[in-house]
Coordinates of all heavy atoms in Angstrom, one line a residue:
M1 N 0.8 -1.2 0.0 CA 0.0 0.0 0.0 C 0.9 1.3 0.0 O 0.5 2.2 -0.7 CB -0.9 0.0 1.2 CG -1.9 1.1 1.3 SD -3.0 0.9 -0.1 CE -4.5 1.3 0.7
V2 N 1.9 1.2 0.8 CA 2.8 2.4 0.8 C 3.5 2.6 -0.5 O 3.6 3.8 -1.0 CB 3.9 2.2 1.9 CG1 4.9 3.3 1.9 CG2 3.2 2.2 3.3
Q3 N 3.9 1.5 -1.2 CA 4.6 1.7 -2.5 C 3.6 2.3 -3.5 O 4.0 3.1 -4.3 CB 5.1 0.4 -3.0 CG 6.3 -0.1 -2.2 CD 6.8 -1.4 -2.7 OE1 6.0 -2.3 -3.1 NE2 8.1 -1.7 -2.5
A4 N 2.4 1.8 -3.5 CA 1.3 2.3 -4.4 C 1.1 3.8 -4.2 O 1.0 4.6 -5.1 CB 0.0 1.5 -4.3
T5 N 1.0 4.2 -2.9 CA 0.8 5.6 -2.6 C 2.0 6.4 -3.1 O 1.8 7.5 -3.6 CB 0.7 5.8 -1.1 OG1 -0.4 4.9 -0.6 CG2 0.4 7.2 -0.7
E6 N 3.2 5.9 -2.9 CA 4.4 6.7 -3.4 C 4.3 6.8 -4.9 O 4.7 7.9 -5.5 CB 5.7 5.9 -3.0 CG 6.0 6.1 -1.6 CD 6.3 7.5 -1.2 OE1 7.2 8.2 -1.7 OE2 5.5 8.0 -0.3
A7 N 3.9 5.8 -5.6 CA 3.9 5.9 -7.1 C 2.8 6.9 -7.5 O 3.1 7.7 -8.4 CB 3.5 4.5 -7.7
I8 N 1.7 6.9 -6.9 CA 0.6 7.9 -7.2 C 1.1 9.3 -7.0 O 0.9 10.2 -7.8 CB -0.7 7.5 -6.4 CG1 -1.3 6.2 -6.9 CG2 -1.7 8.7 -6.5 CD1 -2.4 5.7 -6.1
K9 N 1.8 9.5 -5.8 CA 2.3 10.8 -5.5 C 3.3 11.3 -6.6 O 3.2 12.5 -7.0 CB 3.0 10.8 -4.1 CG 2.0 10.7 -3.0 CD 2.6 10.9 -1.6 CE 3.9 10.3 -1.3 NZ 4.3 10.4 0.1
L10 N 4.2 10.4 -7.0 CA 5.1 10.8 -8.1 C 4.5 11.0 -9.4 O 4.8 12.0 -10.1 CB 6.2 9.7 -8.2 CG 7.2 9.6 -7.1 CD1 8.1 8.3 -7.2 CD2 8.1 10.8 -7.0
L11 N 3.5 10.2 -9.8 CA 2.8 10.3 -11.1 C 2.0 11.7 -11.1 O 1.9 12.3 -12.1 CB 1.9 9.2 -11.3 CG 2.6 7.8 -11.7 CD1 1.6 6.7 -11.7 CD2 3.3 8.0 -13.0
L12 N 1.4 12.0 -10.0 CA 0.5 13.2 -9.9 C 1.3 14.4 -9.6 O 0.8 15.5 -9.6 CB -0.7 13.0 -9.0 CG -1.6 11.9 -9.4 CD1 -2.7 11.7 -8.3 CD2 -2.2 12.1 -10.7
G13 N 2.5 14.3 -9.1 CA 3.3 15.4 -8.7 C 2.8 16.1 -7.4 O 2.8 17.3 -7.3
I14 N 2.2 15.3 -6.5 CA 1.6 15.9 -5.3 C 2.3 15.3 -4.1 O 2.9 14.2 -4.2 CB 0.1 15.7 -5.2 CG1 -0.2 14.2 -5.2 CG2 -0.6 16.4 -6.3 CD1 -1.7 13.9 -5.1
G15 N 2.1 15.9 -2.9 CA 2.6 15.3 -1.7 C 4.1 15.4 -1.6 O 4.8 16.1 -2.3
D16 N 4.6 14.7 -0.6 CA 6.0 14.7 -0.2 C 6.6 13.3 -0.4 O 6.5 12.4 0.5 CB 6.3 15.2 1.2 CG 7.7 15.4 1.5 OD1 8.5 15.5 0.6 OD2 8.0 15.4 2.7
P17 N 7.1 12.9 -1.6 CA 7.6 11.5 -1.8 C 8.8 11.2 -1.0 O 9.5 12.1 -0.5 CB 7.9 11.5 -3.3 CG 8.2 12.9 -3.7 CD 7.3 13.7 -2.8
L18 N 9.1 9.9 -0.8 CA 10.2 9.4 0.0 C 11.5 9.5 -0.7 O 12.3 8.6 -0.5 CB 9.9 8.0 0.5 CG 8.8 7.8 1.6 CD1 8.5 6.3 1.8 CD2 9.3 8.4 2.9
I19 N 11.7 10.5 -1.4 CA 13.0 10.7 -2.1 C 14.1 11.1 -1.1 O 13.8 12.1 -0.3 CB 12.9 11.7 -3.3 CG1 12.0 11.2 -4.3 CG2 14.3 12.0 -3.9 CD1 11.7 12.1 -5.4
G20 N 15.2 10.4 -1.0 CA 16.2 10.6 0.0 C 15.9 10.2 1.4 O 16.6 10.5 2.3
R21 N 14.8 9.4 1.5 CA 14.4 8.9 2.8 C 14.1 7.4 2.7 O 13.6 7.0 1.7 CB 13.2 9.6 3.4 CG 13.5 11.1 3.6 CD 12.2 11.9 4.0 NE 11.2 11.9 3.0 CZ 9.9 12.0 3.2 NH1 9.5 11.9 4.5 NH2 9.1 12.0 2.2
L22 N 14.3 6.7 3.8 CA 14.0 5.3 3.8 C 12.9 5.1 4.9 O 13.2 5.5 6.1 CB 15.2 4.4 4.1 CG 15.0 2.9 4.3 CD1 14.5 2.3 3.0 CD2 16.3 2.3 4.8
L23 N 11.8 4.4 4.6 CA 10.8 4.2 5.6 C 10.8 2.7 6.0 O 10.7 1.9 5.1 CB 9.4 4.6 5.0 CG 8.2 4.4 5.9 CD1 8.3 5.5 7.1 CD2 6.9 4.6 5.2
T24 N 11.0 2.4 7.3 CA 11.0 1.1 7.7 C 9.8 0.8 8.6 O 9.2 1.8 9.2 CB 12.3 0.8 8.6 OG1 12.3 1.6 9.8 CG2 13.6 1.0 7.8
Y25 N 9.4 -0.4 8.6 CA 8.1 -0.8 9.3 C 8.4 -2.0 10.1 O 8.9 -3.0 9.6 CB 7.0 -1.1 8.2 CG 5.8 -1.7 8.8 CD1 5.0 -1.1 9.8 CD2 5.4 -2.9 8.4 CE1 3.9 -1.6 10.3 CE2 4.2 -3.5 8.8 CZ 3.5 -2.9 9.8 OH 2.3 -3.4 10.3
D26 N 8.1 -1.9 11.4 CA 8.3 -3.0 12.4 C 6.9 -3.5 12.6 O 6.1 -2.9 13.4 CB 8.9 -2.5 13.7 CG 8.9 -3.5 14.8 OD1 8.6 -4.6 14.5 OD2 9.4 -3.1 15.9
A27 N 6.5 -4.6 12.0 CA 5.2 -5.2 12.1 C 4.9 -5.7 13.5 O 3.7 -5.6 13.9 CB 5.0 -6.3 11.1
L28 N 5.9 -6.2 14.2 CA 5.6 -6.7 15.5 C 5.3 -5.6 16.5 O 4.5 -5.7 17.4 CB 6.8 -7.6 16.0 CG 7.0 -8.9 15.3 CD1 8.3 -9.6 15.8 CD2 5.8 -9.8 15.4
G29 N 6.1 -4.5 16.4 CA 5.9 -3.4 17.3 C 4.9 -2.3 16.7 O 4.6 -1.3 17.4
M30 N 4.4 -2.6 15.5 CA 3.5 -1.6 14.8 C 4.1 -0.2 14.9 O 3.5 0.8 15.3 CB 2.1 -1.6 15.5 CG 1.3 -2.8 15.1 SD 1.1 -3.0 13.3 CE 0.1 -1.6 12.9
R31 N 5.3 -0.1 14.4 CA 6.0 1.2 14.3 C 6.6 1.4 13.0 O 7.1 0.5 12.3 CB 7.2 1.2 15.4 CG 6.7 1.4 16.8 CD 7.9 1.3 17.7 NE 7.7 -0.1 18.1 CZ 8.2 -0.7 19.2 NH1 9.0 -0.1 19.9 NH2 8.0 -1.8 19.5
F32 N 6.6 2.7 12.6 CA 7.3 3.2 11.4 C 8.5 4.0 11.8 O 8.4 4.7 12.8 CB 6.4 4.0 10.5 CG 5.3 3.2 9.8 CD1 4.1 3.0 10.3 CD2 5.6 2.8 8.5 CE1 3.1 2.3 9.7 CE2 4.6 2.1 7.8 CZ 3.4 1.8 8.4
R33 N 9.6 3.9 11.0 CA 10.7 4.8 11.3 C 11.2 5.3 10.0 O 11.3 4.6 9.0 CB 11.8 3.9 12.0 CG 12.9 4.8 12.5 CD 13.9 4.0 13.3 NE 15.2 4.0 12.6 CZ 16.2 3.2 12.7 NH1 16.1 2.2 13.5 NH2 17.3 3.4 12.0
E34 N 11.6 6.6 10.0 CA 12.1 7.2 8.8 C 13.6 7.6 9.0 O 14.0 8.1 10.0 CB 11.3 8.5 8.5 CG 11.7 9.2 7.3 CD 11.0 10.5 7.1 OE1 9.7 10.5 7.1 OE2 11.6 11.5 6.9
V35 N 14.4 7.2 8.0 CA 15.8 7.5 8.0 C 16.2 8.3 6.8 O 15.8 8.0 5.7 CB 16.6 6.1 8.0 CG1 18.1 6.4 8.0 CG2 16.2 5.2 9.1
K36 N 16.9 9.4 7.0 CA 17.3 10.2 5.9 C 18.6 9.7 5.3 O 19.5 9.2 6.0 CB 17.5 11.7 6.3 CG 16.2 12.4 6.7 CD 16.5 13.8 7.0 CE 15.1 14.4 7.4 NZ 15.2 15.9 7.5
L37 N 18.6 9.6 3.9 CA 19.7 9.1 3.2 C 20.4 10.2 2.4 O 19.7 11.1 1.9 CB 19.3 8.0 2.2 CG 18.6 6.8 2.9 CD1 18.1 5.9 1.8 CD2 19.5 6.1 3.8
R38 N 21.7 10.2 2.4 CA 22.5 11.1 1.6 C 23.0 10.4 0.3 O 23.3 9.2 0.4 CB 23.7 11.7 2.3 CG 23.3 12.6 3.5 CD 24.5 13.2 4.1 NE 25.3 12.0 4.6 CZ 26.0 12.0 5.7 NH1 26.2 13.1 6.3 NH2 26.7 10.9 6.0
R39 N 23.1 11.1 -0.8 CA 23.7 10.6 -2.0 C 25.2 10.4 -1.8 O 25.9 11.2 -1.3 CB 23.4 11.5 -3.1 CG 24.0 11.0 -4.5 CD 23.7 11.9 -5.6 NE 22.3 11.5 -5.9 CZ 21.6 12.2 -6.9 NH1 22.1 13.2 -7.5 NH2 20.4 11.8 -7.1
D40 N 25.7 9.2 -2.2 CA 27.1 8.9 -2.2 C 27.8 9.6 -3.3 O 27.6 9.2 -4.5 CB 27.3 7.4 -2.2 CG 28.8 7.0 -2.1 OD1 29.7 7.9 -2.0 OD2 29.1 5.8 -2.1
P41 N 28.7 10.5 -3.1 CA 29.4 11.2 -4.3 C 30.3 10.3 -5.1 O 30.6 10.6 -6.2 CB 30.2 12.3 -3.6 CG 30.3 12.0 -2.2 CD 29.1 11.1 -1.8
K42 N 30.6 9.1 -4.5 CA 31.5 8.1 -5.2 C 30.7 7.1 -5.9 O 31.2 6.1 -6.4 CB 32.5 7.5 -4.2 CG 33.5 8.5 -3.7 CD 34.4 7.9 -2.7 CE 35.3 8.9 -2.1 NZ 36.2 8.3 -1.1
C43 N 29.3 7.1 -5.8 CA 28.5 6.1 -6.4 C 28.8 6.0 -7.9 O 28.8 7.0 -8.6 CB 27.0 6.4 -6.2 SG 25.9 5.3 -7.0
P44 N 29.0 4.8 -8.4 CA 29.3 4.6 -9.9 C 28.1 4.9 -10.8 O 28.2 5.1 -12.0 CB 29.7 3.2 -10.0 CG 29.2 2.5 -8.8 CD 29.1 3.5 -7.7
L45 N 26.9 5.0 -10.2 CA 25.7 5.3 -11.0 C 25.2 6.7 -10.9 O 24.9 7.3 -11.9 CB 24.6 4.3 -10.6 CG 23.3 4.3 -11.4 CD1 23.6 3.9 -12.8 CD2 22.2 3.5 -10.8
C46 N 25.1 7.2 -9.7 CA 24.6 8.6 -9.5 C 25.5 9.6 -8.9 O 25.1 10.7 -8.5 CB 23.3 8.5 -8.7 SG 23.6 7.9 -7.0
G47 N 26.8 9.2 -8.7 CA 27.8 10.1 -8.0 C 28.3 11.2 -9.0 O 27.7 11.4 -10.0
E48 N 29.2 11.9 -8.5 CA 29.7 13.1 -9.2 C 30.4 12.7 -10.5 O 30.3 13.5 -11.5 CB 30.8 13.8 -8.3 CG 30.1 14.5 -7.1 CD 31.1 15.0 -6.1 OE1 32.4 14.9 -6.4 OE2 30.7 15.6 -5.1
H49 N 31.0 11.5 -10.6 CA 31.7 11.1 -11.8 C 31.2 9.6 -12.1 O 32.0 8.7 -11.9 CB 33.2 11.1 -11.7 CG 33.7 12.5 -11.3 ND1 33.8 13.5 -12.2 CD2 34.2 13.0 -10.1 CE1 34.3 14.6 -11.6 NE2 34.5 14.3 -10.3
P50 N 30.0 9.5 -12.6 CA 29.5 8.1 -12.8 C 30.2 7.3 -13.9 O 30.6 7.9 -14.9 CB 28.0 8.4 -13.3 CG 28.0 9.8 -13.8 CD 29.1 10.5 -13.1
S51 N 30.5 6.1 -13.6 CA 31.2 5.2 -14.5 C 30.2 4.2 -15.2 O 30.5 3.6 -16.2 CB 32.3 4.4 -13.8 OG 31.7 3.6 -12.8
I52 N 29.0 4.1 -14.6 CA 27.9 3.3 -15.2 C 27.0 4.3 -15.9 O 26.3 5.1 -15.3 CB 27.1 2.5 -14.1 CG1 28.1 1.6 -13.4 CG2 26.0 1.8 -14.8 CD1 27.5 0.9 -12.2
T53 N 27.0 4.3 -17.2 CA 26.2 5.2 -18.0 C 25.2 4.5 -18.9 O 24.3 5.1 -19.5 CB 27.0 6.1 -18.8 OG1 27.9 5.3 -19.7 CG2 27.9 7.0 -17.9
D54 N 25.3 3.2 -19.1 CA 24.5 2.4 -20.0 C 23.8 1.3 -19.3 O 24.5 0.4 -18.8 CB 25.3 1.9 -21.2 CG 24.5 1.1 -22.2 OD1 23.3 1.2 -22.2 OD2 25.1 0.4 -23.0
L55 N 22.5 1.3 -19.1 CA 21.7 0.3 -18.4 C 21.0 -0.6 -19.3 O 20.2 -1.4 -18.9 CB 20.7 1.0 -17.5 CG 21.3 1.9 -16.4 CD1 20.2 2.6 -15.6 CD2 22.2 1.1 -15.5
S56 N 21.4 -0.7 -20.6 CA 20.7 -1.5 -21.6 C 20.9 -3.0 -21.3 O 20.1 -3.8 -21.7 CB 21.2 -1.2 -23.0 OG 22.6 -1.5 -23.1
I57 N 21.9 -3.4 -20.5 CA 22.1 -4.8 -20.2 C 21.0 -5.3 -19.3 O 20.7 -6.5 -19.3 CB 23.5 -4.9 -19.4 CG1 23.8 -6.4 -19.3 CG2 23.4 -4.3 -18.1 CD1 25.1 -6.7 -18.7
H58 N 20.2 -4.4 -18.7 CA 19.1 -4.8 -17.8 C 17.8 -4.9 -18.5 O 16.8 -5.2 -17.9 CB 19.0 -3.9 -16.6 CG 20.3 -3.9 -15.8 ND1 20.6 -4.9 -15.0 CD2 21.3 -3.0 -15.7 CE1 21.8 -4.6 -14.4 NE2 22.2 -3.5 -14.8
R59 N 17.8 -4.8 -19.8 CA 16.5 -5.0 -20.5 C 16.1 -6.4 -20.5 O 17.0 -7.3 -20.3 CB 16.7 -4.5 -22.0 CG 16.8 -3.0 -22.1 CD 16.7 -2.6 -23.6 NE 17.0 -1.2 -23.7 CZ 17.8 -0.7 -24.5 NH1 18.5 -1.4 -25.3 NH2 18.1 0.6 -24.5
E60 N 14.9 -6.7 -20.7 CA 14.4 -8.1 -20.6 C 15.1 -9.0 -21.5 O 15.3 -8.7 -22.7 CB 12.9 -8.1 -21.0 CG 12.2 -9.4 -20.8 CD 10.7 -9.4 -21.0 OE1 10.1 -8.3 -20.9 OE2 10.2 -10.4 -21.4
G61 N 15.6 -10.1 -21.0 CA 16.3 -11.1 -21.8 C 17.8 -10.9 -21.8 O 18.6 -11.8 -21.9
A62 N 18.3 -9.6 -21.7 CA 19.7 -9.4 -21.8 C 20.4 -9.9 -20.5 O 21.5 -10.3 -20.6 CB 20.0 -7.9 -22.0
A63 N 19.7 -9.8 -19.4 CA 20.3 -10.3 -18.1 C 20.7 -11.8 -18.2 O 21.7 -12.2 -17.7 CB 19.4 -10.0 -17.0
A64 N 19.8 -12.6 -18.8 CA 20.1 -14.0 -18.9 C 21.3 -14.3 -19.8 O 22.1 -15.2 -19.5 CB 18.9 -14.7 -19.4
A65 N 21.5 -13.5 -20.8 CA 22.6 -13.7 -21.7 C 23.9 -13.3 -21.0 O 25.0 -13.7 -21.5 CB 22.4 -12.9 -23.0
C66 N 23.9 -12.5 -20.0 CA 25.1 -11.9 -19.4 C 25.2 -12.4 -17.9 O 25.6 -11.7 -17.1 CB 25.1 -10.4 -19.4 SG 25.0 -9.7 -21.0
A67 N 24.7 -13.7 -17.7 CA 24.7 -14.2 -16.3 C 26.2 -14.4 -15.8 O 27.1 -14.6 -16.6 CB 24.0 -15.5 -16.3
V68 N 26.3 -14.2 -14.5 CA 27.6 -14.3 -13.9 C 27.5 -15.4 -12.8 O 26.5 -15.6 -12.2 CB 28.2 -13.0 -13.3 CG1 28.5 -12.0 -14.4 CG2 27.2 -12.4 -12.3
D69 N 28.7 -16.0 -12.5 CA 28.7 -16.9 -11.4 C 28.9 -16.2 -10.1 O 28.9 -15.0 -10.0 CB 29.8 -18.0 -11.7 CG 31.2 -17.5 -11.7 OD1 31.4 -16.3 -11.2 OD2 32.1 -18.2 -12.1
G70 N 29.1 -17.0 -9.0 CA 29.2 -16.4 -7.7 C 30.5 -15.6 -7.5 O 30.6 -14.8 -6.6
N71 N 31.4 -15.7 -8.4 CA 32.7 -14.9 -8.3 C 32.7 -13.7 -9.2 O 33.7 -13.1 -9.4 CB 33.9 -15.8 -8.7 CG 34.0 -17.0 -7.7 OD1 33.8 -16.8 -6.5 ND2 34.3 -18.1 -8.2
G72 N 31.5 -13.4 -9.9 CA 31.5 -12.3 -10.8 C 32.0 -12.5 -12.2 O 32.2 -11.6 -13.0
H73 N 32.3 -13.8 -12.5 CA 32.8 -14.1 -13.8 C 31.6 -14.6 -14.7 O 30.6 -15.1 -14.2 CB 33.8 -15.3 -13.7 CG 35.0 -14.9 -12.9 ND1 35.3 -15.4 -11.7 CD2 36.0 -14.0 -13.2 CE1 36.4 -14.9 -11.2 NE2 36.8 -14.1 -12.1
P74 N 31.7 -14.5 -16.0 CA 30.6 -14.9 -16.9 C 30.4 -16.4 -16.6 O 31.3 -17.2 -16.6 CB 31.2 -14.7 -18.3 CG 32.2 -13.6 -18.1 CD 32.8 -13.8 -16.8
A75 N 29.1 -16.7 -16.5 CA 28.7 -18.1 -16.2 C 28.8 -18.9 -17.5 O 28.6 -18.4 -18.6 CB 27.3 -18.2 -15.7
A76 N 29.1 -20.2 -17.4 CA 29.1 -21.1 -18.5 C 27.7 -21.3 -19.0 O 26.7 -21.3 -18.3 CB 29.7 -22.4 -18.1
A77 N 27.6 -21.5 -20.3 CA 26.2 -21.7 -20.9 C 25.6 -22.9 -20.3 O 26.3 -24.0 -20.2 CB 26.4 -21.8 -22.4
A78 N 24.4 -22.8 -19.9 CA 23.7 -24.0 -19.4 C 23.3 -24.9 -20.5 O 22.9 -24.6 -21.5 CB 22.5 -23.5 -18.7
T79 N 23.6 -26.2 -20.2 CA 23.2 -27.2 -21.2 C 22.1 -28.1 -20.6 O 22.1 -28.3 -19.4 CB 24.4 -28.2 -21.5 OG1 24.8 -28.7 -20.3 CG2 25.5 -27.4 -22.2
P80 N 21.1 -28.4 -21.4 CA 20.0 -29.2 -20.9 C 20.4 -30.5 -20.3 O 21.3 -31.2 -20.9 CB 19.1 -29.4 -22.1 CG 19.7 -28.6 -23.2 CD 21.0 -28.1 -22.8
A81 N 19.9 -30.9 -19.2 CA 20.3 -32.2 -18.6 C 19.6 -33.3 -19.4 O 18.5 -33.2 -19.9 CB 19.8 -32.2 -17.1
A82 N 20.4 -34.4 -19.5 CA 19.8 -35.6 -20.2 C 18.8 -36.2 -19.3 O 18.9 -36.3 -18.2 CB 21.0 -36.6 -20.5
K83 N 17.7 -36.7 -20.0 CA 16.7 -37.4 -19.3 C 17.1 -38.8 -19.0 O 17.8 -39.5 -19.7 CB 15.4 -37.5 -20.2 CG 14.7 -36.1 -20.4 CD 13.4 -36.3 -21.1 CE 12.7 -35.0 -21.3 NZ 11.4 -35.1 -22.0
T84 N 16.7 -39.2 -17.8 CA 17.1 -40.6 -17.3 C 15.8 -41.3 -17.0 O 14.8 -40.7 -16.8 CB 18.0 -40.5 -16.1 OG1 17.3 -39.9 -15.1 CG2 19.3 -39.9 -16.4
G85 N 15.9 -42.6 -16.9 CA 14.7 -43.3 -16.5 C 14.0 -43.9 -17.8 O 14.5 -43.8 -18.9
G86 N 12.9 -44.5 -17.5 CA 12.3 -45.2 -18.6 C 10.9 -44.9 -18.7 O 10.0 -44.9 -19.3

């Protein structure tokens, strides 16, 4: 519900969206907490000198073609497993 409200506020240009703030919710204690966030000037995406400028790799289907293993290396192409049994 909170995410839907945030989307509506952004689309309509009304209210005070949670830009630069993180809203946490403790369901057991029924408490909300707001934390202000600062932009990291060294961030490779949104910092002062971004090194990530092309996000086309994240388009649908491209991510599967560029899969990486747990060490950050390109993953080997998956081969279908042979069927066993009768």
Side-chain angles (χ1 to χ4, degrees):
M1 186 65 140
V2 173
Q3 288 178 331
T5 303
E6 285 299 299
I8 291 169
K9 289 189 316 188
L10 287 171
L11 289 170
L12 297 178
I14 59 175
D16 187 21
L18 285 171
I19 296 172
R21 299 177 292 150
L22 174 67
L23 183 67
T24 62
Y25 170 59
D26 174 5
L28 293 176
M30 284 303 296
R31 283 174 262 197
F32 285 90
R33 190 174 117 198
E34 183 181 308
V35 179
K36 291 187 179 188
L37 301 174
R38 290 183 303 212
R39 178 175 282 177
D40 180 0
K42 296 180 183 175
C43 175
L45 185 63
C46 65
E48 294 173 359
H49 304 286
S51 59
I52 300 173
T53 56
D54 182 13
L55 299 177
S56 63
I57 189 173
H58 298 288
R59 289 190 187 128
E60 187 176 333
C66 298
V68 293
D69 64 14
N71 297 320
H73 300 107
T79 56
K83 290 186 178 180
T84 59

